[in-house]
Amino acid sequence: MKTDFEIEDNYAVLLAGTHLDLHNNFDFQGLTKTGDDILIRFQKTKSDWLKVKVPDVLYFHCMNVSYQYYVEGDEQALKEDAIGLSDITFFPSESRMINDSLRLQSNPEDKDDIILFFEDGKVIRIGCSEIKLITEKLEPEK
């Protein structure tokens, strides 16, 4: 897998030298599948305490997806837990039976998946050839 970002401390990404704290500064908004691609969307947290200048939106554009695994979150969880990322990690595709562990690894190896864990127990795991991090709003195709 190729990426244009690095994972920092399993809760943030580093994009072009900018630290983006996914746990504290962004809320998960959902994912969209189009052909062999998946877009995972985050939006800047709406709060008065957020003084850091961060993009309004982030998309993980997963290209040529070959594997998808999802665990639904707890329906009884608070809304902030359903949209709050707890951890992000790269993990070997040979270990797809393990979906509850982290690795301290900034960059993926060729056959790694990306796994996103959320505060409500939701899990998204994707195997693909490349992930680009997009920081501007995407307009729907016409």
Side-chain angles (χ1 to χ4, degrees):
M1 171 191 305
K2 294 189 300 184
T3 64
D4 62 352
F5 63 91
E6 296 179 6
I7 293 177
E8 289 190 314
D9 300 322
N10 292 102
Y11 72 90
V13 292
L14 184 66
L15 178 66
T18 301
H19 175 86
L20 299 168
D21 182 339
L22 298 172
H23 175 74
N24 292 304
N25 298 338
F26 290 91
D27 297 330
F28 175 67
Q29 298 295 301
L31 59 83
T32 306
K33 299 176 189 179
T34 307
D36 291 338
D37 291 1
I38 294 177
L39 286 173
I40 302 171
R41 183 176 191 268
F42 287 84
Q43 187 160 340
K44 180 171 65 174
T45 299
K46 293 178 172 71
S47 82
D48 295 334
W49 62 267
L50 183 58
K51 304 288 187 227
V52 179
K53 183 175 165 84
V54 298
D56 289 334
V57 293
L58 286 179
Y59 295 91
F60 287 88
H61 182 187
C62 305
M63 294 172 269
N64 302 312
V65 172
S66 58
Y67 179 79
Q68 305 168 49
Y69 173 84
Y70 306 99
V71 173
E72 292 297 324
D74 180 356
E75 292 178 6
Q76 304 300 317
L78 299 171
K79 180 183 182 235
E80 54 265 20
D81 289 341
I83 60 175
L85 183 87
S86 62
D87 296 288
I88 183 171
T89 191
F90 296 118
F91 212 80
S93 62
E94 307 85 50
S95 301
R96 287 185 172 152
M97 68 296 247
I98 301 171
N99 292 298
D100 59 358
S101 297
L102 297 172
R103 293 178 71 191
L104 292 174
Q105 180 179 328
S106 298
N107 295 296
E109 296 177 13
D110 281 342
K111 296 189 182 217
D112 280 353
D113 297 333
I114 191 166
I115 308 177
L116 295 92
F117 299 99
F118 295 85
E119 296 291 342
D120 70 344
K122 181 174 28 275
V123 177
I124 299 172
R125 181 174 188 154
I126 296 177
C128 60
S129 64
E130 184 174 2
I131 303 175
K132 289 193 177 189
L133 194 54
I134 302 166
T135 58
E136 69 267 355
K137 188 167 184 149
L138 296 177
E139 299 300 324
E141 292 183 21
K142 296 181 181 181

